[in-house]
């Protein structure tokens, strides 16, 4: 069995490992669900979700209601129970992971893109600006 290099330029292996570990641990830690009064702007399946430091929740990507892989994103505010659409991610992706970084930004990694292509580029979400920017490339 050959070994592949997981990390690429601009992203350290430790950061990738932290992102994946955080995504998995958050999935298990947030195993309770409740209904919200607000309504999401996009029906999603295979999306990724992460809670930001201010309590808002970032929801991004996945399949939309037409089973098209999407790059749309939105924020859910549990205080006001409202969803706010954001500028889209740079790449459409499904079944990806997101991890909250210590500085409050969110790392978006992995997943699949349209055409059954693995998403090799990572993105960073800046909650202050509400924007996604491409960052390092993973060797997949």
């Amino acid at each position: 069995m050959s070994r592949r290099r997981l990390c690429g330029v601009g992203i350290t292996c430790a950061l990738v490992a932290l992102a994946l570990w955080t995504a998995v641990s958050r999935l298990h830690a947030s195993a309770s669900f409740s209904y919200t009064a607000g309504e999401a702007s996009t029906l999603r399946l295979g999306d990724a979700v992460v809670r930001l430091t201010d309590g808002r929740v970032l929801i991004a990507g996945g399949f939309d209601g037409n089973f098209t892989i999407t790059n749309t994103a939105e924020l859910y505010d549990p205080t006001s129970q409202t969803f706010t659409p954001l500028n889209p991610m740079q790449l459409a992706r499904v079944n990806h992971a997101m991890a909250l970084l210590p500085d409050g930004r969110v790392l978006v990694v992995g997943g699949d893109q349209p055409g059954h292509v693995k998403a090799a580029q990572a993105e960073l979400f800046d909650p202050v600006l509400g924007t996604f920017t491409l960052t390092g490339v993973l060797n997949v």
Side-chain angles (χ1 to χ4, degrees), residues 14-15 18-19 22 26 52-53 99-107 124 127:
L15 188 57
L18 173 66
T22 302
R26 287 189 189 282
L52 303 177
T53 55
L100 183 64
L101 301 175
D103 66 1
R105 295 180 300 165
V106 176
L107 178 65
L124 285 172

Side-chain angles (χ1 to χ4, degrees), residues 57-72:
V57 179
L58 173 63
I59 307 161
F63 289 111
D64 65 12
N66 296 316
F67 291 102
T68 301
I69 298 175
T70 183
N71 64 345
T72 61

Side-chain angles (χ1 to χ4, degrees), residues 17-39:
L18 173 66
L20 296 176
W21 178 83
T22 302
V24 169
S25 65
R26 287 189 189 282
L27 175 66
H28 293 291
S30 61
S32 64
F33 301 95
S34 62
Y35 291 101
T36 63
E39 186 173 317

Side-chain angles (χ1 to χ4, degrees), residues 36-100:
T36 63
E39 186 173 317
S41 62
T42 303
L43 178 66
R44 296 176 191 276
L45 174 69
D47 54 320
V49 179
V50 69
R51 185 174 177 183
L52 303 177
T53 55
D54 63 4
R56 295 178 301 164
V57 179
L58 173 63
I59 307 161
F63 289 111
D64 65 12
N66 296 316
F67 291 102
T68 301
I69 298 175
T70 183
N71 64 345
T72 61
E74 56 194 321
L75 285 175
Y76 174 70
D77 184 338
T79 304
S80 63
Q81 296 189 342
T82 57
F83 290 86
T84 305
L86 294 170
N87 290 321
M89 294 187 295
Q90 298 296 313
L91 302 173
R93 55 177 89 214
V94 64
N95 299 324
H96 51 294
M98 294 195 300
L100 183 64

